Amino acid sequence: KHRFKLLIPVVLARLFSFLKKNKIDILIDVEILLAFYTVLPAKFLKIKHISWELFNFNADLGLKVRGFARKLAVKYSDKVVVLTERDRQAYLTITSENDKIEKICICHPSPVDYSRSATLEGKNVVSIGRFVYQKGYDMLLPAFRLVVDAEPDCILFLIGYGQDEKNLKKQCCELKLENNVIFTGMINRK
């Protein structure tokens, strides 16, 4: 409801107060854009500050300020955590402080029990996510074409939305997957 710039002073004041009151030792941003809010209180209160990049370095998700936030994080955070070696190398193009950029494998917790093997009796496959370049749906569809060639009655449910949806639907037609791929749109959790 409010412009981003107008929220910064309010968030800074509240964050500063919270960090000081609770005697926080380490502050971790789990999104590089949070650097706009966190670098100043962390430096002023001498709190160890880690910025965690959630996206590919080349992705700005339509927010040009993301590039500035990355530079801010690199300059003022104690560490910047990135997802891949390629991202680490990209970050090194905006800083000479090699020891500040950490590549780490960030495992996402999952409620799925991986100790059991799938029976492979079902013919349905589900993929959930944003339809954007970095998610690789453009590579999923040709791979699924190979599955359909072997098992013609397999169905792929694509749950989500995104800027590449139109192109993915076109790719489905080109791969003759119209009867095997179902775009469900976004599904409400309620």
Side-chain angles (χ1 to χ4, degrees):
K1 295 182 179 179
H2 304 284
R3 291 184 51 87
F4 175 72
K5 293 175 192 172
L6 299 176
L7 284 176
I8 292 176
V10 174
V11 174
L12 282 173
R14 289 181 181 171
L15 181 60
F16 184 92
S17 174
F18 177 86
L19 295 170
K20 188 174 180 179
K21 178 182 172 188
N22 292 286
K23 298 181 176 125
I24 302 298
D25 297 315
I26 301 171
L27 176 61
I28 303 173
D29 301 340
V30 187
E31 159 58 273
I32 209 74
L33 287 175
L34 293 175
F36 286 118
Y37 300 112
T38 56
V39 293
L40 192 61
K43 281 295 174 201
F44 188 81
L45 295 171
K46 295 179 176 48
I47 295 171
K48 183 140 179 99
H49 183 216
I50 300 168
S51 289
W52 179 359
E53 175 64 89
L54 294 175
F55 300 103
N56 174 295
F57 183 83
N58 295 315
D60 68 9
L61 301 179
L63 298 171
K64 300 295 182 202
V65 296
R66 191 174 293 280
F68 182 68
R70 288 179 174 132
K71 290 177 182 172
L72 193 64
V74 163
K75 184 168 177 98
Y76 296 106
S77 298
D78 294 294
K79 292 283 184 182
V80 176
V81 176
V82 298
L83 300 175
T84 67
E85 181 58 30
R86 183 183 293 169
D87 289 329
R88 185 178 172 287
Q89 293 303 320
Y91 261 90
L92 293 177
T93 66
I94 62 172
T95 184
S96 59
E97 299 182 60
N98 295 3
D99 61 331
K100 244 189 193 188
I101 313 300
E102 295 287 332
K103 176 189 67 111
I104 189 166
C105 175
I106 300 169
C107 300
H108 295 285
S110 173
V112 176
D113 179 6
Y114 291 105
S115 64
R116 297 179 316 140
S117 295
T119 62
L120 301 179
E121 292 171 4
K123 301 276 181 158
N124 295 333
V125 178
V126 175
S127 179
I128 304 171
R130 288 179 297 118
F131 302 145
V132 293
Y133 173 76
Q134 49 282 43
K135 298 299 182 183
Y137 282 97
D138 59 319
M139 295 183 289
L140 173 62
L141 294 176
F144 191 68
R145 173 76 255 174
L146 298 174
V147 171
V148 170
D149 288 344
E151 295 288 338
D153 53 344
C154 284
I155 302 292
L156 171 61
F157 291 91
L158 294 179
I159 301 171
Y161 65 96
Q163 64 192 30
D164 289 350
E165 185 170 347
K166 187 176 179 180
N167 291 337
L168 293 171
K169 286 179 177 178
K170 181 181 174 192
Q171 188 181 15
C172 277
C173 291
E174 291 167 357
L175 293 168
K176 298 186 181 0
L177 287 170
E178 304 97 314
N179 297 325
N180 299 89
V181 176
I182 298 171
F183 287 83
T184 68
M186 198 166 115
I187 293 179
N188 195 333
R189 291 183 181 189
K190 293 179 184 178

